[in-house]
């Protein structure tokens, strides 16, 4: 286009005004065609982007449909009543296992707790006869006594058996 304008200037300098005018009109027409073509290309690019975005939206919608269908089929397989029943059974099983654990662990029942408290009350009022606590000191065993096998039997025979009592 710049070459044609320079050519039109040269034609004007040469005195060929009408040819320069035709050349400028032609240049102007080509410029308008070029602008229209660029506008149409821009519109086409915009349309292609819109089509690609619509395709993505269609895939998303199709995915949502598949997801909804899957959820509906899963909901039909398991009702709320079924879930509540399973949760109740689970809670019952947990309670049953807890009771078994308490029995195995030797934890006291309420009756046992009451009996222990009654015994404690009786002890504090001295209603229960407790065995006498021996006042004799505990003999000290030396290493030499441990080495002599015959001395252990004699000491064991001469001293009465002692039992440990709970305080």
């Amino acid at each position: 286009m710049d070459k044609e304008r320079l050519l039109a200037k040269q034609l004007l300098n040469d005195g060929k005004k009408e040819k320069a005018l035709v050349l400028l009109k032609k240049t102007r027409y080509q410029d308008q065609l070029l602008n229209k073509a660029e506008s149409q290309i821009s519109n086409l690019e915009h349309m292609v982007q819109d089509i690609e975005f619509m395709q993505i939206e269609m895939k998303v919608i199709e995915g949502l449909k598949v997801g909804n269908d899957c959820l509906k089929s899963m909901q039909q397989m398991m009702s709320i009543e079924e879930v509540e029943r399973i949760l109740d059974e689970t809670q019952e099983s947990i309670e049953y296992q807890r009771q078994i654990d308490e029995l195995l662990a030797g934890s006291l029942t309420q009756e046992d707790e009451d009996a222990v408290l009654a015994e404690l009350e009786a002890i504090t009022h001295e209603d229960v006869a407790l065995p006498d606590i021996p006042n004799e000191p505990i003999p000290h065993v030396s290493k030499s006594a441990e080495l002599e096998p015959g001395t252990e039997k004699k000491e064991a025979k001469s001293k009465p058996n002692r039992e440990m009592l709970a305080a």
Side-chain angles (χ1 to χ4, degrees):
M1 294 185 136
D2 289 335
K3 286 183 181 180
E4 289 182 359
R5 285 191 181 126
L6 287 175
L7 186 60
K9 279 186 182 180
Q10 194 176 19
L11 287 173
L12 277 175
N13 288 339
D14 292 343
K16 300 179 181 178
K17 186 177 178 181
E18 286 186 26
K19 283 188 176 186
L21 187 61
V22 170
L23 187 60
L24 286 175
K25 284 183 181 181
K26 178 183 166 189
T27 305
R28 183 72 169 176
Y29 177 72
Q30 286 176 346
D31 190 34
Q32 288 175 350
L33 283 177
L34 186 60
N35 285 339
K36 282 183 183 179
E38 286 177 356
S39 175
Q40 289 176 348
I41 288 172
S42 175
N43 287 340
L44 285 173
E45 287 174 349
H46 186 67
M47 190 180 301
V48 167
Q49 289 175 351
D50 289 344
I51 290 170
E52 288 174 347
F53 186 71
M54 285 295 277
Q55 288 174 338
I56 292 170
E57 286 178 336
M58 293 297 290
K59 288 180 182 179
V60 169
I61 290 172
E62 187 62 33
L64 288 173
K65 284 181 185 178
V66 169
N68 284 337
D69 292 341
C70 183
L71 281 175
K72 285 179 184 177
S73 67
M74 291 175 73
Q75 289 170 352
Q76 288 174 354
M77 290 190 310
M78 188 172 290
S79 65
I80 291 177
E81 292 82 20
E82 179 74 14
V83 171
E84 287 175 345
R85 183 186 62 77
I86 290 171
L87 289 174
D88 288 342
E89 288 176 0
T90 302
Q91 187 62 35
E92 289 172 5
S93 297
I94 290 171
E95 181 64 25
Y96 182 74
Q97 185 62 42
R98 187 186 60 76
Q99 289 174 357
I100 290 173
D101 290 344
E102 285 178 2
L103 288 174
L104 292 176
S107 59
L108 300 176
T109 64
Q110 187 60 38
E111 292 173 0
D112 292 336
E113 289 283 337
D114 293 340
V116 168
L117 290 175
E119 187 177 347
L120 179 66
E121 186 69 26
I123 291 172
T124 56
H125 290 86
E126 298 198 27
D127 293 342
V128 176
L130 295 176
D132 292 331
I133 300 174
N135 292 332
E136 301 171 11
I138 299 174
H140 179 66
V141 178
S142 65
K143 295 242 180 209
S144 62
E146 289 177 8
L147 296 176
E148 297 176 20
T151 57
E152 291 178 16
K153 292 180 184 177
K154 290 178 186 175
E155 288 179 13
K157 289 181 184 177
S158 64
K159 293 189 181 178
N161 290 340
R162 293 187 183 166
E163 294 182 25
M164 183 179 281
L165 298 176

